[in-house]
Amino acid sequence: MCGIVGWIDWEKDLSHERPVLQQMTQCLKDRGPDADGFWLTPRAALGHRRLVVVDPAGGQQPMTALKSEHACTMIYNGELYNTEDLRQQLLACGHTFQSHSDTEVLLHCYLEWGTNCLAKLNGIFAFAIWDERAQRLFVARDRMGVKPLFYAQRGSSFLFASELKALLAHPDVKPELSREGLAEVFGISPARTPGHGVFHQVHEVRPGCFLTVTRDRVKQETYWRLASRPHTDDLPTTAARVRELVVDSIKRQLVADVPVATLLSGGLDSSVITAVAAEHFKETGRGTLHSYSIDYVDNDKHFQASSFQPNEDAPYVQLVSQYLGTQHHTIEFDTAELVEALKVATLARDLPGMADVDASLYLFCREIKKETTVVLSGECADEVFGGYPWFYREELLNAGTFPWSRAVKERASWLSPELRAWVKPEEYVAMRYAESLDEVPHLPSEDPIEARRREMFYLNITWFMNTLLDRKDRMSMAASLEARVPFCDHRIVEYVWNIPWEMKTHGNREKGILRKAMEGILPDEVLYRKKSPYPKTHNPSYTKAVRTWLLDILNDPTSPLLPLIDVPVIRKIAESDAQASSIPFFGQLMSTPQLFAYLGQMDYWLREYRVTIKA
């Protein structure tokens, strides 16, 4: 995978701005440690960092191609999974190729079909193409938002980059938080409102959208959205179609010129991916598949079952690996490593994040990178098929707010009275929630309960799934590891979106249709294992360490966090002798220890990024 940076300016001659472009691009070196490239003209400057996955010699960027003397130059972050299908279509149209890279195929898709090329792409991507003849920039992001892309307008300049840090490296983009940005980090985070870049007047290209940038305007258009229609397939046909789509997606995403492995938790989603991948490796003579799982020192001693995390992963990981014959690697971390990595994770995300859930993933990816370059991961199945408790527990389904972040009032109480009165976090969250419900493509005459579940699926796909994809991209890319997410294939999402709840929960089980579809490839105890989220540490030493970190911050009069929070309230929570709460304040994993770590990350971020408040 890669990192991209661009600067369009309608007044300044960018031919002389290579030092600034290099500085921005260098911020993304972890996304692309293998090579860099630059392309500058008076109006456009493009920078690229490359992680080699396919065609080391032929995929160098920025890449320029011609058709009828029509020159276009592209930078691209992503992977196309239907490259060969597209290549054959383009060859029939008269195109010729110098490499077997998906980069060259994507550029020729644009030359042949213009913006309509997006409908033909199956993959994860964020790319930009400068059309020299038209003096126009075309910027696009994949349908699900797997690959990130941020932008900012400053005077005559249009700037864009894969990560916020690269934008902030430009002298015209400041790390300022307006009232809205403060509402994001204190009311919404670690989620982010779709399209929001948190910093003042910094934006995100929304999933399924593209931008056209000319001297006169910046126009964002939607090329893909979910469409609601009656589901007419019966149960056997539906299960067969789900199996076909899932298996095809996994196999397509195994293509690479570098080592490929899978992440294996012993849950349904990762086990399905590992089963299909292991079989495909055997069929194609690629040897033994390697699989990886994460665990924590003494977690077996301290694990506490809950409704969100009902059982441990380790026994299931061992069962699946032995059943499929993978070469398995368990990577274990201790508290000190997790706490230390909280700061690295903040830098990787450019924002306070999911605390140890982020940090552990970064450490996990860093270790995997020592032996492989590409991994397949099970994200998105829960959002697409309905695996979370809030899909079926009435108090969560009808919570009247984002069900993964119900503690809106409690979160507001953590802020200083002055900030709370100015930012109004409860009102802000309610506004974002209402806006999202207004976007839902309802199906006329749908049963009210079914309609509510459709809303829940929409919220999960456009909000919670994006939060987890954001996390996976930043933590894996910080370790220069490419993480692919087969369940995020838009064909799967489109088909499952319209499967009715009764069929989705076949057998009265969460993700029942997926379990039915994949019968025969896994042991039943794995296929029908109760949903369990990404594993976190249960070691009390972690709680002690992050509590100490937070108390040190509260005792530091120079901390930039203190004016923003209600110090007595936070101190009372931190000094309490009560056991850490098992009720999450975000998602399924972020409870009291993660609150301590989140506030610690917030303090570190405010200092490190020199964030200022814009009234």
Side-chain angles (χ1 to χ4, degrees), residues 41-59:
T41 67
R43 295 280 74 84
L46 306 177
H48 187 263
R49 294 289 317 199
R50 187 182 183 203
L51 173 66
V52 174
V53 173
V54 174
D55 194 358

PDB file of all heavy atoms in Angstrom, residues 41-59:
ATOM      1  N   THR A  41       4.804  20.558 -11.795  1.00  0.00           N
ATOM      2  CA  THR A  41       4.569  21.453 -12.923  1.00  0.00           C
ATOM      3  C   THR A  41       4.143  22.803 -12.326  1.00  0.00           C
ATOM      4  O   THR A  41       3.949  22.902 -11.111  1.00  0.00           O
ATOM      5  CB  THR A  41       3.458  20.923 -13.844  1.00  0.00           C
ATOM      6  OG1 THR A  41       2.199  20.957 -13.138  1.00  0.00           O
ATOM      7  CG2 THR A  41       3.738  19.495 -14.303  1.00  0.00           C
ATOM      8  N   PRO A  42       3.993  23.829 -13.127  1.00  0.00           N
ATOM      9  CA  PRO A  42       3.568  25.119 -12.556  1.00  0.00           C
ATOM     10  C   PRO A  42       2.279  25.048 -11.744  1.00  0.00           C
ATOM     11  O   PRO A  42       2.142  25.708 -10.713  1.00  0.00           O
ATOM     12  CB  PRO A  42       3.416  26.009 -13.787  1.00  0.00           C
ATOM     13  CG  PRO A  42       4.415  25.462 -14.760  1.00  0.00           C
ATOM     14  CD  PRO A  42       4.372  23.966 -14.554  1.00  0.00           C
ATOM     15  N   ARG A  43       1.300  24.249 -12.174  1.00  0.00           N
ATOM     16  CA  ARG A  43       0.007  24.230 -11.497  1.00  0.00           C
ATOM     17  C   ARG A  43      -0.175  23.058 -10.552  1.00  0.00           C
ATOM     18  O   ARG A  43      -1.014  23.112  -9.656  1.00  0.00           O
ATOM     19  CB  ARG A  43      -1.140  24.187 -12.543  1.00  0.00           C
ATOM     20  CG  ARG A  43      -1.267  25.406 -13.440  1.00  0.00           C
ATOM     21  CD  ARG A  43      -1.997  26.559 -12.738  1.00  0.00           C
ATOM     22  NE  ARG A  43      -1.171  27.215 -11.738  1.00  0.00           N
ATOM     23  CZ  ARG A  43      -0.293  28.175 -11.991  1.00  0.00           C
ATOM     24  NH1 ARG A  43      -0.124  28.606 -13.227  1.00  0.00           N
ATOM     25  NH2 ARG A  43       0.429  28.702 -11.021  1.00  0.00           N
ATOM     26  N   ALA A  44       0.560  21.954 -10.751  1.00  0.00           N
ATOM     27  CA  ALA A  44       0.319  20.736  -9.970  1.00  0.00           C
ATOM     28  C   ALA A  44       1.626  20.123  -9.488  1.00  0.00           C
ATOM     29  O   ALA A  44       2.603  20.050 -10.235  1.00  0.00           O
ATOM     30  CB  ALA A  44      -0.452  19.721 -10.811  1.00  0.00           C
ATOM     31  N   ALA A  45       1.615  19.674  -8.237  1.00  0.00           N
ATOM     32  CA  ALA A  45       2.754  18.973  -7.651  1.00  0.00           C
ATOM     33  C   ALA A  45       2.228  17.725  -6.943  1.00  0.00           C
ATOM     34  O   ALA A  45       1.322  17.824  -6.106  1.00  0.00           O
ATOM     35  CB  ALA A  45       3.496  19.881  -6.671  1.00  0.00           C
ATOM     36  N   LEU A  46       2.776  16.565  -7.271  1.00  0.00           N
ATOM     37  CA  LEU A  46       2.317  15.297  -6.732  1.00  0.00           C
ATOM     38  C   LEU A  46       3.474  14.538  -6.096  1.00  0.00           C
ATOM     39  O   LEU A  46       4.583  14.495  -6.647  1.00  0.00           O
ATOM     40  CB  LEU A  46       1.692  14.427  -7.832  1.00  0.00           C
ATOM     41  CG  LEU A  46       0.568  15.051  -8.659  1.00  0.00           C
ATOM     42  CD1 LEU A  46       0.122  14.085  -9.755  1.00  0.00           C
ATOM     43  CD2 LEU A  46      -0.609  15.427  -7.775  1.00  0.00           C
ATOM     44  N   GLY A  47       3.217  13.944  -4.932  1.00  0.00           N
ATOM     45  CA  GLY A  47       4.224  13.146  -4.244  1.00  0.00           C
ATOM     46  C   GLY A  47       3.684  11.776  -3.890  1.00  0.00           C
ATOM     47  O   GLY A  47       2.480  11.611  -3.642  1.00  0.00           O
ATOM     48  N   HIS A  48       4.579  10.763  -3.832  1.00  0.00           N
ATOM     49  CA  HIS A  48       4.145   9.393  -3.615  1.00  0.00           C
ATOM     50  C   HIS A  48       5.168   8.623  -2.795  1.00  0.00           C
ATOM     51  O   HIS A  48       6.375   8.770  -2.985  1.00  0.00           O
ATOM     52  CB  HIS A  48       3.943   8.689  -4.966  1.00  0.00           C
ATOM     53  CG  HIS A  48       3.349   7.321  -4.859  1.00  0.00           C
ATOM     54  ND1 HIS A  48       4.101   6.171  -4.863  1.00  0.00           N
ATOM     55  CD2 HIS A  48       2.052   6.927  -4.744  1.00  0.00           C
ATOM     56  CE1 HIS A  48       3.289   5.115  -4.756  1.00  0.00           C
ATOM     57  NE2 HIS A  48       2.062   5.547  -4.682  1.00  0.00           N
ATOM     58  N   ARG A  49       4.671   7.831  -1.841  1.00  0.00           N
ATOM     59  CA  ARG A  49       5.495   6.860  -1.131  1.00  0.00           C
ATOM     60  C   ARG A  49       4.947   5.476  -1.426  1.00  0.00           C
ATOM     61  O   ARG A  49       3.730   5.258  -1.381  1.00  0.00           O
ATOM     62  CB  ARG A  49       5.457   7.104   0.379  1.00  0.00           C
ATOM     63  CG  ARG A  49       6.069   8.380   0.856  1.00  0.00           C
ATOM     64  CD  ARG A  49       7.580   8.455   0.758  1.00  0.00           C
ATOM     65  NE  ARG A  49       8.291   7.269   1.174  1.00  0.00           N
ATOM     66  CZ  ARG A  49       9.597   7.264   1.512  1.00  0.00           C
ATOM     67  NH1 ARG A  49      10.295   8.391   1.478  1.00  0.00           N
ATOM     68  NH2 ARG A  49      10.204   6.144   1.871  1.00  0.00           N
ATOM     69  N   ARG A  50       5.832   4.508  -1.716  1.00  0.00           N
ATOM     70  CA  ARG A  50       5.378   3.211  -2.214  1.00  0.00           C
ATOM     71  C   ARG A  50       5.771   2.059  -1.314  1.00  0.00           C
ATOM     72  O   ARG A  50       6.909   1.955  -0.868  1.00  0.00           O
ATOM     73  CB  ARG A  50       5.948   2.960  -3.617  1.00  0.00           C
ATOM     74  CG  ARG A  50       5.372   1.704  -4.265  1.00  0.00           C
ATOM     75  CD  ARG A  50       5.958   1.433  -5.624  1.00  0.00           C
ATOM     76  NE  ARG A  50       5.323   0.268  -6.241  1.00  0.00           N
ATOM     77  CZ  ARG A  50       5.880  -0.475  -7.197  1.00  0.00           C
ATOM     78  NH1 ARG A  50       7.076  -0.165  -7.663  1.00  0.00           N
ATOM     79  NH2 ARG A  50       5.237  -1.512  -7.688  1.00  0.00           N
ATOM     80  N   LEU A  51       4.784   1.200  -1.036  1.00  0.00           N
ATOM     81  CA  LEU A  51       5.004  -0.114  -0.456  1.00  0.00           C
ATOM     82  C   LEU A  51       4.801  -1.120  -1.578  1.00  0.00           C
ATOM     83  O   LEU A  51       3.696  -1.246  -2.116  1.00  0.00           O
ATOM     84  CB  LEU A  51       4.018  -0.382   0.684  1.00  0.00           C
ATOM     85  CG  LEU A  51       4.025  -1.791   1.293  1.00  0.00           C
ATOM     86  CD1 LEU A  51       5.350  -2.065   1.995  1.00  0.00           C
ATOM     87  CD2 LEU A  51       2.869  -1.976   2.269  1.00  0.00           C
ATOM     88  N   VAL A  52       5.849  -1.817  -1.961  1.00  0.00           N
ATOM     89  CA  VAL A  52       5.767  -2.715  -3.115  1.00  0.00           C
ATOM     90  C   VAL A  52       5.004  -3.978  -2.739  1.00  0.00           C
ATOM     91  O   VAL A  52       5.384  -4.698  -1.813  1.00  0.00           O
ATOM     92  CB  VAL A  52       7.174  -3.068  -3.634  1.00  0.00           C
ATOM     93  CG1 VAL A  52       7.080  -4.114  -4.740  1.00  0.00           C
ATOM     94  CG2 VAL A  52       7.879  -1.821  -4.146  1.00  0.00           C
ATOM     95  N   VAL A  53       3.923  -4.244  -3.483  1.00  0.00           N
ATOM     96  CA  VAL A  53       3.120  -5.447  -3.304  1.00  0.00           C
ATOM     97  C   VAL A  53       2.988  -6.208  -4.621  1.00  0.00           C
ATOM     98  O   VAL A  53       3.053  -7.430  -4.665  1.00  0.00           O
ATOM     99  CB  VAL A  53       1.718  -5.094  -2.741  1.00  0.00           C
ATOM    100  CG1 VAL A  53       0.817  -6.317  -2.702  1.00  0.00           C
ATOM    101  CG2 VAL A  53       1.848  -4.491  -1.348  1.00  0.00           C
ATOM    102  N   VAL A  54       2.789  -5.476  -5.708  1.00  0.00           N
ATOM    103  CA  VAL A  54       2.652  -6.069  -7.042  1.00  0.00           C
ATOM    104  C   VAL A  54       3.588  -5.342  -8.003  1.00  0.00           C
ATOM    105  O   VAL A  54       3.662  -4.106  -7.981  1.00  0.00           O
ATOM    106  CB  VAL A  54       1.196  -5.973  -7.546  1.00  0.00           C
ATOM    107  CG1 VAL A  54       1.088  -6.453  -8.986  1.00  0.00           C
ATOM    108  CG2 VAL A  54       0.264  -6.775  -6.650  1.00  0.00           C
ATOM    109  N   ASP A  55       4.304  -6.105  -8.833  1.00  0.00           N
ATOM    110  CA  ASP A  55       5.150  -5.572  -9.901  1.00  0.00           C
ATOM    111  C   ASP A  55       6.124  -4.503  -9.397  1.00  0.00           C
ATOM    112  O   ASP A  55       5.936  -3.301  -9.632  1.00  0.00           O
ATOM    113  CB  ASP A  55       4.273  -4.997 -11.017  1.00  0.00           C
ATOM    114  CG  ASP A  55       5.080  -4.743 -12.307  1.00  0.00           C
ATOM    115  OD1 ASP A  55       6.308  -4.978 -12.300  1.00  0.00           O
ATOM    116  OD2 ASP A  55       4.473  -4.303 -13.287  1.00  0.00           O
ATOM    117  N   PRO A  56       7.199  -4.917  -8.725  1.00  0.00           N
ATOM    118  CA  PRO A  56       8.164  -3.954  -8.178  1.00  0.00           C
ATOM    119  C   PRO A  56       8.725  -2.984  -9.210  1.00  0.00           C
ATOM    120  O   PRO A  56       8.913  -1.801  -8.921  1.00  0.00           O
ATOM    121  CB  PRO A  56       9.268  -4.861  -7.620  1.00  0.00           C
ATOM    122  CG  PRO A  56       8.581  -6.147  -7.317  1.00  0.00           C
ATOM    123  CD  PRO A  56       7.537  -6.301  -8.386  1.00  0.00           C
ATOM    124  N   ALA A  57       8.965  -3.468 -10.419  1.00  0.00           N
ATOM    125  CA  ALA A  57       9.586  -2.606 -11.438  1.00  0.00           C
ATOM    126  C   ALA A  57       8.570  -1.752 -12.179  1.00  0.00           C
ATOM    127  O   ALA A  57       8.887  -0.646 -12.627  1.00  0.00           O
ATOM    128  CB  ALA A  57      10.365  -3.464 -12.437  1.00  0.00           C
ATOM    129  N   GLY A  58       7.350  -2.256 -12.321  1.00  0.00           N
ATOM    130  CA  GLY A  58       6.406  -1.596 -13.224  1.00  0.00           C
ATOM    131  C   GLY A  58       5.375  -0.690 -12.588  1.00  0.00           C
ATOM    132  O   GLY A  58       4.573  -0.069 -13.289  1.00  0.00           O
ATOM    133  N   GLY A  59       5.373  -0.582 -11.247  1.00  0.00           N
ATOM    134  CA  GLY A  59       4.325   0.204 -10.602  1.00  0.00           C
ATOM    135  C   GLY A  59       4.803   1.517 -10.021  1.00  0.00           C
ATOM    136  O   GLY A  59       4.165   2.069  -9.127  1.00  0.00           O
TER     137      GLY A  59
END
